Amino acid sequence: MHPTPMKIGIHVPQLGRLADPAAVRAAAVAAERVGYSSLWVLDRVLSPVEPRSPYPGKEDGRLPAEQGVVLDPIGTLILAAAVTERIRVGTSVLVAPWYPPVLRARSLPPLAPISGGRLDVGLGIGWSLDEYEAVGVPQRELAARLEETLDVLDAVWGDDPVEHRGERIRITPSVILPKPAQRPRPPILLAAYTPAGLERVARRADGWNPAGLPVELLAPMWATVRDQAAALGRDPESLKLVVRANLTLTDRPLGADRPSYHGSVEQIVDDLEATRRVGAQEVILGPSGDHRLDELLDIYARLAETYDAAA
């Protein structure tokens, strides 16, 4: 066994040709049976033909083709939770400023009676101007909007009566039900990459949920979060590092200049082990490409078997 075991979660088949309820159910049941730790969804509104905000990590700036079709994240999680009993479910991530915080706070607790308190909530601020304009939200003051979203979630998920008087949102003393099964709230993970964003993780979140970062950048950024948490009087050991690994699996090994989580099964497993050494408690496997369900499940099985064997 690894000195410090790392959990392995998977992305629910929510994209492309697998944006289908039957595929979601089948993959969720299979993941729980095999022993994966968690099921995750992402948040996408549209796929611009000529994107004004380039997709991170793509030379042409376009979204991966499979992200042209994306099931609603909350509906997908409800479906996955309904057909499983033990595996956790989570968002990686919801774009917080797109949604009125009170409505988002009310949309997640219905997962509680279905999941039995198995929910993790990952939040971020997104990047696409096209998507922000499509949802009618200005792409500015995003940090302040995220901070107030966190304030509202804490208020709505706390004890009644709920009250909040913020810069943008006002809740007069009210009863807002239902509450989440997890008390005082489901764990909140934040996607963050800037110094201000990492400070917010240290100050307000239960963990950090980066995606698309080279493995070598994880260690110094995670150390920054932990140091800042300690300086703020928080226990760094209470924070979780949950890394989203965007995989590109190849038949043959790639060269030394390959991006993290790209290459053969053995190379990706090496990256997973390096991620564990950084201190990650969990990795979310998110293969790129528009796979059939049997292909996707085969990728997950090969990675899990090779990772376990390497242990």
Side-chain angles (χ1 to χ4, degrees):
M1 294 184 65
H2 289 295
T4 303
M6 182 176 69
K7 298 177 180 178
I8 304 291
I10 67 169
H11 184 83
V12 176
Q14 176 200 13
L15 314 173
R17 74 174 75 183
L18 293 181
D20 176 78
V24 172
R25 289 192 294 266
V29 170
E32 183 167 74
R33 182 172 62 247
V34 169
Y36 281 104
S37 63
S38 51
L39 300 162
W40 300 80
V41 294
L42 55 74
D43 206 0
R44 184 98 291 122
V45 171
L46 48 76
S47 178
V49 175
E50 297 292 339
R52 286 173 291 169
S53 303
Y55 182 74
K58 288 288 292 292
E59 290 185 4
D60 62 5
R62 299 180 185 276
L63 281 172
E66 64 271 17
Q67 292 193 25
V69 183
V70 182
L71 294 179
D72 173 75
I74 302 303
T76 301
L77 276 192
I78 289 174
L79 182 57
V83 297
T84 56
E85 297 179 356
R86 299 175 304 279
I87 196 167
R88 292 180 7 263
V89 296
T91 61
S92 178
V93 292
L94 298 176
V95 183
W98 288 352
Y99 307 96
V102 172
L103 297 184
R104 179 50 73 215
R106 291 186 67 248
S107 71
L108 291 168
L111 274 162
I114 300 171
S115 70
R118 294 181 275 145
L119 175 66
D120 286 356
V121 179
L123 301 173
I125 59 174
W127 48 270
S128 171
L129 174 61
D130 299 287
E131 290 186 308
Y132 267 94
E133 289 189 351
V135 299
V137 175
Q139 196 183 32
R140 59 176 184 267
E141 299 179 332
L142 300 184
R145 291 176 182 272
L146 177 56
E147 292 277 0
E148 189 161 20
T149 293
L150 295 174
D151 291 339
V152 171
L153 292 178
D154 282 343
V156 173
W157 290 345
D159 296 331
D160 289 322
V162 174
E163 184 175 9
H164 175 78
R165 296 178 184 272
E167 186 173 333
R168 298 169 182 82
I169 298 162
R170 179 182 179 186
I171 306 173
T172 59
S174 304
V175 174
I176 302 181
L177 296 172
K179 303 295 185 185
Q182 294 140 289
R183 307 302 293 162
R185 68 180 188 195
I188 291 180
L189 312 174
L190 295 180
Y193 307 94
T194 65
L198 296 177
E199 187 275 338
R200 186 177 302 109
V201 174
R203 175 168 45 87
R204 302 211 57 174
D206 301 298
W208 181 36
N209 182 207
L213 285 181
V215 173
E216 59 268 21
L217 291 184
L218 290 173
M221 295 174 74
W222 182 230
T224 295
V225 171
R226 288 172 55 87
D227 290 346
Q228 290 180 329
L232 291 165
R234 301 187 68 194
D235 179 7
E237 298 301 323
S238 69
L239 301 180
K240 296 196 300 182
L241 173 56
V242 180
V243 177
R244 184 181 181 89
N246 296 325
L247 311 176
T248 296
L249 185 63
T250 60
D251 293 332
R252 297 181 178 180
L254 299 181
D257 60 346
R258 67 183 178 89
S260 296
Y261 313 114
H262 287 51
S264 66
V265 167
E266 291 75 17
Q267 287 178 316
I268 291 174
V269 166
D270 287 343
D271 289 340
L272 295 177
E273 173 59 13
T275 304
R276 183 201 65 80
R277 291 196 300 268
V278 168
Q281 286 90 347
E282 189 161 11
V283 166
I284 304 165
L285 304 180
S288 61
D290 201 6
H291 303 283
R292 300 191 312 269
L293 182 59
D294 60 337
E295 293 173 334
L296 185 67
L297 295 179
D298 178 64
I299 290 171
Y300 288 146
R302 290 165 62 194
L303 287 169
E305 290 169 4
T306 306
Y307 184 72
D308 288 343

